[in-house]
Amino acid sequence: MLSRIAIPPPDTVAAAAAEAELAEKTMPPGALGRVGRLAVTMAAAQGRAVPSADPAEALVFAADHGIVAEGVSAWPQAVTALMVEVLARGAAAAPVLAESAGVAITVIDAGVASPYRTPPPGLSGAPVRAGTRNAAIEDALTAEEVAAALDLGAEAAAAALARGARVLLPGEMGIGNTATAALLAHAVAGLPLDTLTGPGAGLDPAGVTAKGAVLARAAARRPGPCVPEAALACFGGLEVAAMAGAMIAGAGGRAVVLVDGFIATAAALLAVTARPEIAPYLLYAHRSAEPGHRAMLAHLGAEPLLDLDLRLGEGTGALLAFPLLRASCRVLAEMATFESAGIPR
């Protein structure tokens, strides 16, 4: 699946036109810094000299992780299903921030293990399986389950593009997924596990140490380096695979993909490793407070837009960064040029 989606090259003509237009705006050259340059990046991705951040859609994938049985999370697995209910009814952080930012949001069940108290309204997706197997003792997914999760994400992205989305904001919900993300980054990129192992959703220092021991045991089952599909099969997780599939499909449809924090960046690392040509379509929203995020960003050569000590997930950092994309596009489209303002240069 990772190889069958065609990825168009960035449109250098559109980028040059956007850069030339930006140079004519009524300000000193480069005065808006990275905000101005965002519009050029988006023009290249979208193939439009005047890009647009709207419409945009957040895709929040939810799934569970069998490795939670090893005590790697401060929260029980049942919280994933409970949080999906809150997300689906619009009361969690992601839908609140999405409404504030004028971004549509879709919540997708990729593999939640616990039953819902009541069927969440508007929940999308057909779960691949009820959570992964415990990666500390066995492979988390079969090759077929990995392919199904990648396809689920690609299909969700394709549906968003069909609804008109020009920017995609992948997010996630899954108790224990910082453990899985750390294992994936270690397996695929060779980043040190001790660097990648952090508190996640609230482990104390003793909990982080115990988590590190579990991850070391899990990683020893299948020493890297691994190709992305093999790493996903060994360690999970379903929502990470779905995000990677969504990123690749989004790039295939010339959408800009705004990558969230630690978990979403692990998905981006997988997607870029499998399909390096998607890299120009990815923007990185923020630098998470999770310690390993800095290492993943450095490996990808990514400079995030924000640094706000966030560690919530759900796509919240991307939703907070999204207005910068909209502002950049509006500057390009609406700001006066020296000529139109009658100002000599």
Side-chain angles (χ1 to χ4, degrees):
M1 179 268 143
L2 291 177
S3 61
R4 73 168 184 256
I5 295 174
I7 309 297
D11 189 327
T12 56
V13 174
E19 193 163 16
E21 177 66 14
L22 194 63
E24 296 299 318
K25 299 301 184 183
T26 49
M27 60 181 173
L32 280 174
R34 293 180 65 199
V35 174
R37 295 197 298 275
L38 279 174
V40 177
T41 300
M42 294 179 67
Q46 294 180 353
R48 298 157 49 97
V50 182
S52 176
D54 296 291
E57 186 163 340
L59 302 172
V60 182
F61 298 94
D64 276 305
H65 301 258
I67 201 169
V68 166
E70 304 292 328
V72 296
S73 174
W75 298 84
Q77 188 172 79
V79 170
T80 300
L82 299 176
M83 278 303 305
V84 170
E85 294 178 15
V86 181
L87 281 160
R89 72 168 185 261
V96 169
L97 292 175
E99 183 177 11
S100 174
V103 173
I105 185 168
T106 301
V107 183
I108 302 125
D109 185 340
V112 175
S114 301
Y116 299 112
R117 293 170 298 188
T118 55
L123 186 64
S124 299
V128 174
R129 57 172 284 119
T132 64
R133 301 167 188 87
N134 182 353
I137 59 175
E138 62 181 322
D139 280 357
L141 297 167
T142 66
E144 292 75 18
E145 289 163 348
V146 170
L150 291 164
D151 283 341
L152 176 66
E155 289 161 6
L161 294 174
R163 290 188 287 268
R166 292 175 175 159
V167 176
L168 299 179
L169 296 77
E172 41 63 39
M173 176 63 221
I175 296 300
N177 61 11
T178 60
T180 298
L183 286 166
L184 291 169
H186 173 68
V188 172
L191 299 175
L193 261 183
D194 57 353
T195 299
L196 294 165
T197 304
L203 287 173
D204 61 17
V208 174
T209 299
K211 176 181 177 180
V214 172
L215 299 190
R217 178 157 49 93
R221 287 197 313 103
R222 190 68 61 86
C226 297
V227 298
E229 293 97 328
L232 285 165
C234 190
F235 303 116
L238 293 161
E239 81 278 39
V240 181
M243 284 192 292
M247 291 173 187
I248 293 170
R254 284 201 174 278
V256 173
V257 178
L258 187 55
V259 180
D260 190 42
F262 185 70
I263 316 300
T265 304
L269 192 156
L270 295 174
V272 171
T273 300
R275 299 296 303 274
E277 63 269 41
I278 76 165
Y281 291 88
L282 306 187
L283 295 170
Y284 293 83
H286 73 109
R287 182 177 289 108
S288 169
E290 187 70 6
H293 194 213
R294 188 178 297 270
M296 284 198 283
L297 291 168
H299 179 81
L300 288 162
E303 184 60 38
L305 298 172
L306 303 174
D307 191 344
L308 301 173
D309 293 331
L310 304 174
R311 56 183 184 91
L312 179 55
E314 301 177 18
T316 50
L319 287 161
L320 286 166
F322 173 75
L324 293 174
L325 275 62
R326 180 182 285 135
S328 182
C329 292
R330 291 195 64 172
V331 162
L332 191 64
E334 301 174 25
M335 186 176 176
T337 63
F338 286 100
E339 182 179 2
S340 69
I343 298 175
R345 299 184 66 175

